[in-house]
């Protein structure tokens, strides 16, 4: 094992995050040095150095980690997938500890926490994260409060500042899954988070071609960082060098992808809200949305995810089947527009309406996306022959 399992500290940058996304994680500028950190495919290294073995470190991880760390304002550690990072973070809970989870959150997180509860490793308390009072009440005496904002797939918003302030000094670890917002739209450390999580599989990668997860802690939090690093070493859920390279390449264009997709999502949300076949639109950018004000206060943009309720599973199934441009697929955050009727998964919560379709808006032309949605909505109203 290397003497220092912790990646180097990234000095905090004065430049804007859009610039950091482009400049961070580069090799040192020297004549004929490559501009990008190339993927280093190595399981072992010549002895005598700090890394030694491919499960302990890789220059491609370090380049990605220093970039995500700089964007969030902390120190990042990457994993084979978002779920591998989720697992490593849950390992921070002491044996028999208590974790507060939102009613709606990424299903894998709820399933893993449930599995750990079933074998007595921890106890789960479920709350409505839209109520800061309920979260803080459940957080009293808990070891970890785990939030996601906006949530998957209902697009609920948690008041991170109020919850972070309430948890400060209590010793409870405050985790924020920032996958939906990305560090360009929301920076949870500013609201008191101790750990920030990304499924980099989604927006950071942005091209639906890599699985990777990142956990970020405060610069000074070497204790949590080294515990996460130990879990990565011993459980072996290490990211691939190629995946690390792809995700970092994705981050370079995150800003322009997100800006485009978000503008389109906002326009689509408004148009969908006026469409007679749509029962409800959930998008924090709509001023009628229950999370709008809190989202406006804590985010610099409302993102490119929304969900719509078409009233019934049949209508939603017909809608997704009739689309030609939009792809019916799970996952989100790619340049291509995808959507999914969430209740097609038997494990999805019954509190998610059967006709709910989560939409991940990509960077295609607005009018092409709208035309396809309109014809699919029309088809969803016409009973199949
Ligand atoms: C996808 C996702 C995860 C899990 O990440 P994987 O990379 O699929 O393992 C966790 N949280 C959220 C919000 C997600 O969307």
């Amino acid at each position: 094992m290397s003497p220092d399992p912790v990646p180097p500290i990234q000095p905090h940058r004065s430049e804007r995050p859009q610039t950091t996304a482009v400049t961070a994680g580069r090799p040192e500028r020297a004549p004929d040095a490559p501009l990008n950190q190339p993927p280093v495919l190595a399981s072992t290294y010549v002895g005598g150095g700090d890394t030694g073995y491919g499960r302990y470190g890789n220059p491609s991880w370090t380049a990605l980690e220093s970039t995500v760390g700089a964007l969030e304002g902390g120190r990042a550690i990457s994993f084979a997938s978002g779920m591998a990072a989720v697992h490593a973070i849950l390992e921070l809970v002491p044996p028999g500890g208590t974790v507060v989870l939102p009613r709606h959150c990424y299903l894998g997180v709820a399933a893993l926490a449930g599995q750990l509860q079933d074998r007595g490793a921890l106890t789960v308390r479920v709350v409505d994260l839209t109520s800061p009072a309920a979260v803080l009440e459940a957080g009293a005496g808990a070891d970890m409060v785990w939030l996601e904002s906006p949530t998957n797939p209902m697009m609920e918003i948690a008041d991170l500042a109020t919850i972070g302030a309430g948890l400060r000094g209590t010793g409870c670890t405050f985790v924020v899954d920032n996958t939906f917002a990305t560090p360009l739209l929301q920076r949870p450390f500013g609201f008191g988070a101790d750990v920030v999580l990304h499924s980099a599989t989604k927006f950071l990668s942005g091209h639906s071609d890599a699985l990777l997860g990142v956990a970020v802690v405060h610069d000074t939090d070497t204790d949590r960082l080294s515990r996460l690093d130990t879990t990565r070493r011993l459980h072996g859920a290490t990211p691939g060098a190629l995946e690390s390279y792809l995700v970092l390449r994705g981050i370079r264009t995150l800003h322009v992808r997100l800006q485009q997709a978000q503008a389109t999502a906002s326009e689509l949300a408004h148009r969908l809200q006026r469409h007679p076949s749509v029962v409800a639109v959930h998008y924090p950018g709509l001023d009628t949305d229950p999370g709008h004000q809190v989202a406006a206060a804590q985010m610099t943009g409302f993102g490119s995810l929304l969900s719509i309720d078409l009233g019934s599973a049949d209508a939603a199934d017909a809608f997704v089947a009739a689309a030609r441009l939009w792809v019916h697929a799970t996952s989100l955050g790619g340049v291509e527009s995808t959507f999914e009727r969430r209740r097609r998964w038997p494990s999805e919560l019954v509190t998610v309406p059967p006709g709910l379709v989560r939409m991940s808006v990509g960077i295609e032309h607005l009018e092409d996306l709208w035309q396809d949605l309109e014809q699919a909505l029309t088809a969803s109203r016409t009973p199949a022959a």
Side-chain angles (χ1 to χ4, degrees):
M1 306 242 295
S2 71
D4 179 13
V6 164
I9 291 187
Q10 283 306 304
H12 278 159
R13 293 158 175 262
S14 56
E15 66 203 22
R16 290 156 190 84
Q18 294 88 336
T19 305
T20 300
V22 175
T23 57
R26 301 275 185 188
E28 213 174 306
R29 272 188 207 187
D32 278 344
L35 264 67
N36 297 294
Q37 168 61 50
V40 175
L41 300 170
S43 61
T44 190
Y45 304 94
V46 177
D50 285 345
T51 309
Y53 187 49
R55 187 152 36 79
Y56 305 153
N58 182 294
S60 307
W61 305 353
T62 310
L64 170 65
E65 288 164 351
S66 60
T67 306
V68 179
L71 286 171
E72 286 290 2
R75 295 171 80 166
I77 176 163
S78 55
F79 292 85
S81 65
M83 282 308 298
V86 168
H87 171 247
I89 295 167
L90 287 174
E91 287 283 305
L92 296 171
V93 178
T98 299
V99 177
V100 176
L101 280 187
R103 180 176 48 137
H104 296 129
C105 68
Y106 185 72
L107 274 182
V109 173
L112 177 56
Q115 201 182 67
L116 292 167
Q117 175 166 255
D118 288 348
R119 69 162 132 91
L122 50 79
T123 301
V124 177
R125 284 183 198 154
V126 175
V127 284
D128 173 359
L129 98 183
T130 62
S131 162
V135 175
L136 290 173
E137 193 182 322
D143 299 281
M144 184 175 279
V145 167
W146 184 293
L147 296 182
E148 196 179 296
S149 186
T151 61
N152 186 359
M154 297 298 288
M155 303 302 298
E156 295 155 314
I157 301 293
D159 182 340
L160 299 180
T162 303
I163 294 165
L167 292 175
R168 195 162 301 141
T170 63
C172 175
T173 302
F174 182 21
V175 181
V176 176
D177 184 336
N178 207 24
T179 299
F180 273 32
T182 85
L184 295 186
L185 301 183
Q186 177 169 278
R187 306 225 303 170
F189 287 145
F191 305 116
D194 300 299
V195 183
V196 175
L197 164 77
H198 285 283
S199 168
T201 308
K202 316 292 166 56
F203 289 98
L204 302 187
S205 148
H207 295 74
S208 311
D209 54 7
L211 280 168
L212 196 138
V214 184
V216 197
V217 298
H218 290 275
D219 275 341
T220 50
D221 194 354
T222 48
D223 173 55
R224 279 198 190 91
L225 189 64
S226 79
R227 289 168 67 194
L228 292 168
D229 184 68
T230 299
T231 301
R232 180 173 68 177
R233 286 163 178 256
L234 298 182
H235 293 241
T238 53
L242 187 60
E243 279 76 4
S244 306
Y245 171 85
L246 286 171
V247 171
L248 182 51
R249 187 180 161 107
I251 290 173
R252 302 300 185 212
T253 57
L254 176 62
H255 163 58
V256 282
R257 286 188 282 113
L258 204 54
Q259 207 172 33
Q260 175 65 40
Q262 172 172 267
T264 306
S266 170
E267 178 58 25
L268 291 177
H270 284 93
R271 291 187 191 182
L272 287 163
Q273 204 178 28
R274 295 190 295 265
H275 197 285
S277 303
V278 178
V279 177
V281 179
H282 305 282
Y283 182 62
L286 294 172
D287 57 14
T288 50
D289 192 89
H292 177 69
Q293 269 170 16
V294 174
Q298 71 191 16
M299 300 174 80
T300 55
F302 301 106
S304 57
L305 297 167
L306 60 143
S307 53
I308 57 174
D309 187 355
L310 296 182
S312 73
D314 284 349
D317 281 337
F319 168 67
V320 297
R324 294 180 204 117
L325 178 54
W326 290 75
V327 187
H328 192 215
T330 201
S331 199
L332 51 98
V335 290
E336 53 292 286
S337 293
T338 59
F339 57 9
E340 183 180 36
R341 185 172 85 80
R342 288 296 305 172
R343 285 282 297 280
R344 76 186 172 114
W345 300 100
S347 52
E348 183 58 271
L349 298 177
V350 293
T351 48
V352 172
L356 189 99
V357 177
R358 184 189 63 204
M359 308 175 68
S360 172
V361 179
I363 62 169
E364 305 91 336
H365 196 284
L366 164 69
E367 299 304 338
D368 291 329
L369 291 171
W370 175 243
Q371 256 173 35
D372 193 38
L373 291 179
E374 265 197 316
Q375 68 81 21
L377 284 168
T378 305
S380 74
R381 276 200 309 258
T382 318

